[in-house]
């Protein structure tokens, strides 16, 4: 039989608990200093690790103090075993939560670094978190003396029923995994679906894909719909793209001068406007003899999809001003109608004013 608990036993147990608590506080202070140092590095993974250890290490120190206190006290073998089991389970729980935070944080950091955007593909983060927590839960049950074999058997049998009940959810889950694994779409890409939805991919989670439009509205698209429709990805294989602007000049101008002036304006825009590609080679291509003008295309370089509107805006303004300065005409569409004595009669439909009253037609 174990002896009774005396005063010096309580004092020693209290000293052990206090020592564990003080050690936890000191270690937490040390880890806070390490967190500041980690924040100065380029790699974001060390920030995740240090932040997670700030939670685990103090609890581990306190559990160590509690274990020493349990050894000091004259407990019965059964009570001592239960206390050690409980402390072990507590450490496993804290280690599982810490591992989940570290691993999911690293997964998120890798996803962000590859996508080069602030958003993240949370489908991988969520799957990783669930797997780590499930493994930790099974280890805790095993540590507490609870057999996990019947639980695994029940999960295996019930998994089929769950899969049948969650067909749509699982279809979206695997569609999201397939989209990310194939790298056809990544967070930060600008996409346009055949159904008309377009915008920046903000996140791909276990059920849907979140797309932010240029108007800053969010469009929620199920992963199965995204993987089963025609889609244009304007960010792949690279973000830089070309923009074609249609223009035209009169028949009485020198096309060599038009080409030279347009190339100069393109070069100026590429170097001065934000989002343009300075090394882009200006291209001017005449292509059509129209009714009142000669049409041509101007090809501009754009850094990424949303930059095209600003670049096109600046280019048209500068080209129009330069054409006016150079005396290059930009004719309006016109059509000449010749009437002769033997021409068939022309029927002109009645015209009405804003109030609906018939007015005489004018020629």
């Amino acid at each position: 039989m174990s002896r009774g608990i005396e005063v010096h036993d309580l004092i020693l147990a209290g000293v052990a608990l206090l020592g564990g608590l003080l050690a936890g506080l000191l270690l937490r202070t040390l880890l806070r200093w390490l967190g500041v140092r980690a924040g100065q590095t380029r790699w974001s993974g060390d920030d995740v690790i240090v932040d997670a250890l700030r939670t685990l290490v103090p609890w581990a120190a306190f559990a160590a103090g509690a274990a020493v206190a349990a050894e000091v006290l004259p407990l019965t073998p059964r009570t001592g075993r239960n206390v050690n089991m409980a402390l072990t389970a507590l450490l496993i729980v804290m280690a599982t939560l810490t591992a989940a935070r570290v691993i999911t944080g690293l997964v998120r950091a890798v996803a962000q670094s590859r996508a080069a955007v602030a958003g993240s593909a949370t489908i991988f983060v969520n799957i990783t978190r669930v797997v780590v927590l499930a493994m930790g839960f099974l280890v805790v049950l095993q540590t507490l003396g609870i057999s996990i074999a019947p639980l695994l058997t029940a999960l295996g049998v019930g998994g089929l029923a769950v899969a049948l009940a969650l067909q749509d959810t699982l279809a979206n889950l695997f569609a999201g995994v397939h989209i990310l694994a194939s790298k056809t779409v990544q967070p930060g890409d600008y996409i346009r679906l055949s159904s008309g939805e377009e915008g920046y991919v903000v996140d791909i989670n276990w059920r849907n894909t979140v797309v932010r439009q240029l108007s800053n509205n969010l469009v929620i698209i199920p992963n199965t719909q995204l993987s089963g429709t025609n889609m244009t990805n304007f960010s792949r294989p690279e973000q830089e793209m070309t923009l074609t602007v249609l223009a035209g000049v009169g028949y009485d101008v020198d096309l060599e001068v038009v080409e030279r002036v347009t190339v100069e304006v393109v070069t100026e825009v590429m170097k001065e406007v934000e989002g343009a590609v300075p090394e882009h080679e200006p291209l001017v291509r005449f292509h059509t003899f129209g009714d009142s003008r000669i049409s041509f295309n101007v090809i501009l370089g754009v850094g990424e999809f949303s930059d095209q509107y600003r670049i096109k805006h600046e280019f048209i303004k500068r080209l129009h001003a330069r054409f006016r300065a150079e005396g290059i005409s930009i004719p309006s569409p016109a059509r000449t109608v010749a009437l002769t004595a033997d021409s068939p009669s022309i029927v002109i439909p009645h015209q009405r004013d804003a109030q609906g009253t018939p007015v005489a037609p004018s020629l």
Side-chain angles (χ1 to χ4, degrees), residues 168-193:
D168 294 339
T169 301
L170 293 177
N172 284 309
L173 172 63
F174 289 112
V177 173
H178 171 71
I179 290 171
L180 290 174
S182 62
K183 296 183 179 181
T184 55
V185 177
Q186 294 290 326
D189 292 352
Y190 193 96
I191 63 173
R192 177 185 295 163
L193 305 185

Side-chain angles (χ1 to χ4, degrees), residues 45-97:
D46 52 0
D47 299 332
V48 176
I49 295 175
V50 173
D51 183 64
L53 291 178
R54 286 174 61 181
T55 302
L56 174 63
V57 172
W59 279 100
F62 178 76
V68 173
E71 289 293 330
V72 171
L73 294 174
L75 302 177
T76 62
R78 181 177 180 180
T79 302
R81 183 171 60 254
N82 292 335
V83 170
N84 289 331
M85 187 182 300
L87 292 175
T88 303
L90 175 63
L91 284 179
I92 293 176
V93 169
M94 297 307 302
T96 301
L97 295 176

Side-chain angles (χ1 to χ4, degrees), residues 90-323:
L90 175 63
L91 284 179
I92 293 176
V93 169
M94 297 307 302
T96 301
L97 295 176
T98 302
R101 292 180 60 182
V102 171
I103 297 175
T104 55
L106 294 177
V107 171
R108 183 181 290 106
V110 171
Q112 291 178 352
S113 64
R114 291 188 176 183
V117 292
S120 63
T122 57
I123 183 172
F124 288 147
V125 175
N126 292 334
I127 292 176
T128 303
R129 181 182 292 110
V130 170
V131 170
V132 174
L133 292 178
M135 294 177 61
F137 176 71
L138 295 178
V139 173
V140 169
L141 292 181
Q142 191 71 26
T143 302
L144 295 176
I146 301 174
S147 178
I148 62 175
L151 178 61
L152 295 177
T153 303
L155 290 176
V157 174
L160 179 60
V162 173
L164 292 176
L166 300 177
Q167 291 186 34
D168 294 339
T169 301
L170 293 177
N172 284 309
L173 172 63
F174 289 112
V177 173
H178 171 71
I179 290 171
L180 290 174
S182 62
K183 296 183 179 181
T184 55
V185 177
Q186 294 290 326
D189 292 352
Y190 193 96
I191 63 173
R192 177 185 295 163
L193 305 185
S194 58
S195 54
E197 297 89 350
E198 64 177 89
Y200 288 99
V201 177
V202 177
D203 187 20
I204 303 176
N205 55 45
W206 60 276
R207 184 173 178 79
N208 50 55
T209 298
V210 182
V211 175
R212 178 175 56 83
Q213 297 178 324
L214 294 179
S215 59
N216 212 29
N217 297 323
L218 295 181
V219 180
I220 311 300
I221 305 173
N223 292 332
T224 52
Q225 178 181 344
L226 185 65
S227 63
T229 187
N230 295 331
M231 175 184 59
T232 302
N233 191 335
F234 293 94
S235 301
R236 297 185 180 275
E238 57 184 14
Q239 283 192 331
E240 291 186 3
M241 54 180 289
T242 57
L243 170 65
T244 301
V245 179
L246 176 64
V249 293
Y251 281 91
D252 57 340
V253 300
D254 187 346
L255 296 185
E256 293 292 339
V257 176
V258 172
E259 183 175 6
R260 176 180 58 80
V261 170
T262 305
V263 168
E264 291 175 358
V265 174
V266 173
T267 303
E268 177 185 330
V269 170
M270 291 297 99
K271 292 181 179 180
E272 298 180 2
V273 179
E274 181 183 0
V277 182
E279 60 274 10
H280 171 75
E281 180 182 358
L283 295 176
V284 178
R285 295 292 183 264
F286 298 96
H287 60 80
T288 303
F289 289 99
D291 293 337
S292 58
R293 63 180 181 174
I294 298 177
S295 300
F296 62 95
N297 288 329
V298 183
I299 302 176
L300 309 174
V302 180
E304 60 107 8
F305 187 87
S306 62
D307 294 330
Q308 62 175 313
Y309 304 104
R310 178 175 58 255
I311 295 172
K312 187 175 182 178
H313 168 77
E314 287 294 329
F315 170 72
I316 291 178
K317 285 200 311 181
R318 299 189 186 195
L319 184 64
H320 180 260
R322 187 67 184 276
F323 276 4

